[in-house]
Amino acid sequence: MGISLEHEQPTVVTTMQRRNESRRHFAKHKWLYIFLIPGCAYLLIFKYIPIFGIVIAFQDFSLVKGIWHSEWVGLENFQYLFQSKDFYVVLRNTLILSSYQLICGFPAPIILAIMLNEVRHMAFKRVSQTILYLPHFISWVVLAGMIINFLSPSTGAVNHIITAFGYKPIPFLLEPQYFRSIIVSADVWKGIGWGTIIYLAAMTGIDTSLYEAAKMDGASRIKQIVHITLPGLLPTIVILLVLQLGHILDNGFEQVFLLYNPSTYEVADVLETYTYRIGLIDGRLSFSAAVGLFKAAVGFVLVLGANRIAKLFGQNIW
């Protein structure tokens, strides 16, 4: 009995010490925990609780009957999804547009951040950053209106330039071959400035003594960027790349919906617009939920795969 108590006493003391340390830590940082409450409440209310709604993907959901009384159909919605010819056209458009956005949009803020970091005239640097950040705060509704006005065959500035050189005006938004380029260009222009904030912030964590040592060794600015700046940015690049791969099937509903039209459906119709038409316009909520669940599953697998690959290079997130 005595031996048992001797063994139990340190455990009790250790537990009490941990509790006291936790209380002191909470009391010291209580305002930080209080500031976390709105964010946690947002995630709980708008992200985790609605997860229960995915059950309608396995039902013939009826607004009148509700979730509890709608007929259970199992995988019937998914079978119809994978047997539909429209789905594969939409999936192809989604993957092509996402690939363009990834190839063109992901490196753009990295390159711009490096260029801004090399600017030594501080006034010019601040003005440039402000101008580049502004498009991020323009809504897609306003931006779509700007694009329509700029590319209009009759009044658009772009077509005025084209006709000035003796060519016929081009109806850009009615021609399928131009749609993807327009969407990707607008997306890069809108987001490039905001993306540079993250990379410029990451650059502040790079030890400046490394640049000084490189200068003493005679390294050029290009070599400093290649051997110091880019390796310093690598953890941030990997994190953002993994997160973006999780949204590979998300092209953004607003920009596509506001700019596409029946003449460009063959290249412009993506999963977001397809789900909108099927779910809200046609009223097939169960089928649209199945499409959403498919997107979430693909994104989850891609995030795990990208993190596994990053782990091979020692840059994994978890």
Side-chain angles (χ1 to χ4, degrees), residues 144-215:
M146 294 169 59
I147 293 171
I148 292 171
N149 287 329
F150 278 127
L151 301 180
S152 172
S154 57
T155 61
V158 175
N159 274 302
H160 278 314
I161 297 172
I162 292 174
T163 53
F165 283 95
Y167 296 96
K168 294 181 179 180
I170 302 172
F172 289 100
L173 294 176
L174 298 177
E175 298 290 341
Q177 64 265 32
Y178 297 118
F179 182 82
R180 288 170 181 156
S181 299
I182 293 170
I183 286 290
V184 173
S185 300
D187 188 62
V188 172
W189 178 76
K190 190 177 186 300
I192 189 172
W194 184 256
T196 58
I197 296 176
I198 300 173
Y199 293 109
L200 286 172
M203 288 179 188
T204 60
I206 300 175
D207 190 357
T208 55
S209 63
L210 297 175
Y211 292 102
E212 295 173 0
K215 289 179 182 178

Side-chain angles (χ1 to χ4, degrees), residues 273-292:
T273 55
Y274 179 67
T275 306
Y276 167 77
R277 287 201 318 276
I278 297 297
L280 294 182
I281 297 179
D282 294 348
R284 298 169 59 187
L285 299 179
S286 294
F287 183 72
S288 62
V291 176

